Amino acid sequence: MKKWSLILPVVFLMFASVAQATERPEKIEKNERKIVLNGALTITKYDDGRIAPVSTFLNLSEIQVNQVLSEMKLSNEQIEHYSPELKKRIISRGGVAVETQSSLKHYYNSVDGTRYLITDENRDEVNAIKEKDSLTLMKQSNGWN
């Protein structure tokens, strides 16, 4: 009897978790509109600017592909720069172009463990430290002290 009292709750929990896993989440409402390009191609555009994936991307002409990319907010320079394969891959996935900015920072870690951020103002100073560190490392590798 004790076995059944332990097994029944475990079995119940297994079926309850399976039932929850198979439930579909509620459909997210997306306000979308259909856009007809070049009189022959219809694409779906969401209110947030995204374009739905285009399933017929292999059958599209270069002009149609470029029009879809324009709707995805890519610039003409970007569109001209991309290869035809990349263009079709982009529209097959859908989406929207967004502007990004990044700035690279260059650092130098000296022999004594100090980390220097290299800027236009201190570039000469850091280069002098690099040369000094280089000489120090050469002395150490040659057995000099």
Side-chain angles (χ1 to χ4, degrees):
M1 184 68 176
K2 286 185 179 183
K3 268 187 184 178
W4 288 106
S5 63
L6 292 175
I7 293 175
L8 285 176
V10 171
V11 171
F12 175 74
L13 287 174
M14 284 179 20
F15 283 116
S17 62
V18 169
Q20 284 182 340
T22 58
E23 286 182 21
R24 290 188 169 184
E26 292 182 28
K27 184 178 177 184
I28 298 173
E29 295 269 338
K30 298 177 189 171
N31 294 328
E32 56 187 50
R33 58 190 163 108
K34 301 289 184 187
I35 298 175
V36 178
L37 299 176
N38 204 15
L41 173 65
T42 302
I43 61 172
T44 303
K45 187 169 188 175
Y46 301 110
D47 281 347
D48 60 3
R50 291 177 296 125
I51 299 295
V54 179
S55 59
T56 59
F57 66 94
L58 291 174
N59 303 327
L60 300 179
S61 69
E62 185 178 349
I63 293 171
Q64 290 172 321
V65 169
N66 291 345
Q67 287 177 331
V68 174
L69 292 171
S70 291
E71 286 293 327
M72 293 175 79
K73 299 182 182 177
L74 272 83
S75 70
N76 289 332
E77 292 82 23
Q78 290 172 318
I79 293 171
E80 290 173 9
H81 179 72
Y82 295 155
S83 69
E85 295 82 22
L86 178 59
K87 290 178 185 182
K88 288 187 177 186
R89 190 170 355 135
I90 291 171
I91 66 171
S92 73
R93 295 179 179 170
V96 66
V98 294
E99 284 190 38
T100 59
Q101 266 188 332
S102 65
S103 60
L104 295 176
K105 295 181 180 180
H106 297 279
Y107 293 93
Y108 173 71
N109 294 322
S110 67
V111 173
D112 66 359
T114 306
R115 185 175 186 193
Y116 297 95
L117 172 63
I118 302 172
T119 63
D120 290 336
E121 292 80 25
N122 71 351
R123 188 172 311 277
D124 294 334
E125 177 185 337
V126 173
N127 284 337
I129 295 169
K130 283 182 184 180
E131 289 178 26
K132 180 182 171 191
D133 286 349
S134 177
L135 288 173
T136 302
L137 291 173
M138 283 189 348
K139 287 180 184 178
Q140 288 176 353
S141 67
N142 290 333
W144 299 0
N145 282 332

